Amino acid sequence: MGSHARPNRIHRTGVRIAMVALVGAALPISAGGLAEAATPGATHSAEENDQQGGAATTTAGQQQAARRQFPSDQAARHAVQDTAADAQNAMVRAAPQINADHAFLLDARDGSQERELWAGAKADESVSMASTTKIMTALVVLKHPEWLSRQITVQQEYRDYVQKVGGSTADLQTGDTLTVEQLLHAMLIPSGDDAAMALADHLGSGDTADMRIADFVNQMNTEAQQLGLTGTHFDSFDGISHGNNHSTARDLARLGQRAMLQPVFADIVKNKQFKTEAPAANGRTRYYTWINTNKLLSTYDGALGIKTGSGPEAGYALVFAAERDNRTLVGAILKDDEGRFDDATKMLDWGFAH
């Protein structure tokens, strides 16, 4: 689910920002030291007293030495404590200063491996992930490249679903026929829940729409397990949760890194805007224009895109990637506020400097 920067209200799946036109007409669609003193006994012989006196003298000398040594030891301990505190403060200052605790940043290197750069205080806490769910929806689709050219006709049920849940939309028109690849654009760029539903409905297995969608979501969870995303579970194709759709910032960054290895995915999410056309039900041509909800594409040098998300429970989410000096960084932010793009910018700047 995406949103423009600082919208006035959060839709359950993001802000609707699609435009569609029929035959060219556009519709805006986170001290001590202790010295012991010797006490001479009361009934000692003179010899014993002389011996004790010597012992007492020796002990007193030790006490004085200890007293002289104590300030030095204490100062040393304080110096060690101060050094540790300075190191801790330096670590805090070195970390990216952002609002979100649910955040994670990795260095994707050449794509075949990854290196953790920084983890927020709650990087491994599972929380609602909103429309960043659609990264996995796309990854499941792209496991079958033969599906990309398959044509799917938009059903009225997809539009009704968006209206029912108050979701973000690509404003797909009933009866229009689009390819799976076009629907991936419609889902990932304007964050269309209608497009996500069309993909799940047609690419899952079963005799009914509910069965096909359930099967598709099962494929999403199977893929999460295979990728080792232990803090992740899906119960929907678009992020409109039924109570058990959650992930961690660490998992989502890893998922984003994996998705960017797919050329089709990487090519789609880098678009600030995408225009396409499709046969309409009346035989004419429908023209669609979709605007990307990811503002980093316009504000951050080297941004590669990925996916936004927002919702009442999820707050503002963002999975993002950028490339500079032959390095690709991928990060994720969950349960942030409207400053998610600013936080992502700070994380990326910090990452490229380390």
Side-chain angles (χ1 to χ4, degrees):
M1 281 150 286
S3 69
H4 291 294
R6 297 162 175 76
N8 291 328
R9 75 183 177 93
I10 305 175
H11 289 284
R12 291 196 60 185
T13 54
V15 176
R16 305 179 183 181
I17 53 171
M19 300 188 341
V20 61
L22 183 60
V23 195
L27 278 174
I29 308 280
S30 36
L34 180 60
E36 296 180 356
T39 303
T43 58
H44 294 297
S45 65
E47 183 176 353
E48 289 172 332
N49 286 335
D50 289 342
Q51 292 172 346
Q52 287 182 339
T57 300
T58 302
T59 302
Q62 292 172 339
Q63 288 179 319
Q64 292 174 359
R67 293 190 187 98
R68 288 193 299 271
Q69 183 66 28
F70 172 72
S72 177
D73 290 346
Q74 187 179 45
R77 282 193 294 274
H78 286 169
V80 170
Q81 293 170 355
D82 290 343
T83 300
D86 289 344
Q88 180 65 27
N89 290 334
M91 289 177 63
V92 171
R93 289 192 300 270
Q97 301 300 297
I98 66 171
N99 294 323
D101 290 326
H102 300 81
F104 188 82
L105 184 67
L106 63 83
D107 189 333
R109 298 191 176 183
D110 61 359
S112 64
Q113 55 184 328
E114 60 193 43
R115 177 172 66 94
E116 174 181 336
L117 287 178
W118 176 78
K122 298 181 179 179
D124 296 307
E125 180 178 282
S126 293
V127 294
S128 178
M129 59 180 138
S131 254
T132 58
T133 294
K134 292 167 183 166
I135 301 171
M136 182 61 86
T137 306
L139 204 57
V140 168
V141 172
L142 292 171
K143 287 176 69 70
H144 302 275
E146 70 276 9
W147 288 351
L148 291 175
S149 59
R150 180 183 298 187
Q151 295 189 331
I152 294 177
T153 300
V154 179
Q155 305 297 315
Q156 181 62 37
E157 287 79 7
Y158 309 155
R159 294 180 59 83
D160 293 343
Y161 169 76
V162 171
Q163 287 295 115
K164 178 181 177 180
V165 301
S168 53
T169 179
D171 203 24
L172 302 178
Q173 299 296 298
T174 302
D176 287 4
T177 301
L178 297 91
T179 66
V180 167
E181 188 166 1
Q182 286 177 308
L183 289 172
L184 284 173
H185 284 79
M187 178 181 71
L188 293 171
I189 295 176
S191 197
D193 294 341
D194 42 359
M197 186 175 185
L199 291 168
D201 181 24
H202 282 267
L203 304 179
S205 297
D207 295 330
T208 67
D210 287 345
M211 292 175 65
R212 291 189 293 271
I213 289 172
D215 175 73
F216 189 90
V217 173
N218 284 336
Q219 294 181 52
M220 295 169 67
N221 283 312
T222 297
E223 185 68 13
Q225 292 171 3
Q226 292 176 348
L227 293 176
L229 308 181
T230 58
T232 298
H233 186 271
F234 300 100
D235 69 4
S236 76
F237 50 81
D238 60 356
I240 300 293
S241 177
H242 303 291
N244 197 22
N245 199 83
H246 55 81
S247 189
T248 69
R250 184 189 301 271
D251 278 3
L252 281 179
R254 294 178 59 203
L255 177 61
Q257 182 266 339
R258 184 56 63 94
M260 291 297 283
L261 296 178
Q262 296 285 338
V264 173
F265 182 93
D267 185 64
I268 292 173
V269 299
K270 72 181 183 183
N271 287 283
K272 299 176 185 178
Q273 176 180 288
F274 184 76
K275 295 184 178 183
T276 192
E277 59 186 59
N282 61 6
R284 301 171 71 182
T285 299
R286 186 88 59 187
Y287 297 90
Y288 287 95
T289 298
W290 297 311
I291 308 299
N292 204 316
T293 57
N294 188 351
K295 295 192 174 300
L296 280 185
L297 289 169
S298 298
T299 64
Y300 196 84
D301 183 29
L304 301 174
I306 298 188
K307 190 70 191 74
T308 61
S310 63
E313 179 185 359
Y316 291 88
L318 179 64
V319 181
F320 53 93
E323 182 179 33
R324 285 184 184 175
D325 301 324
N326 296 317
R327 293 179 65 198
T328 298
L329 306 187
V330 181
I333 297 172
L334 293 169
K335 296 190 77 69
D336 203 355
D337 56 22
E338 293 172 320
R340 59 181 163 172
F341 297 113
D342 292 334
D343 282 349
T345 294
K346 292 174 183 178
M347 289 172 65
L348 287 169
D349 284 345
W350 180 91
F352 284 120
H354 292 76

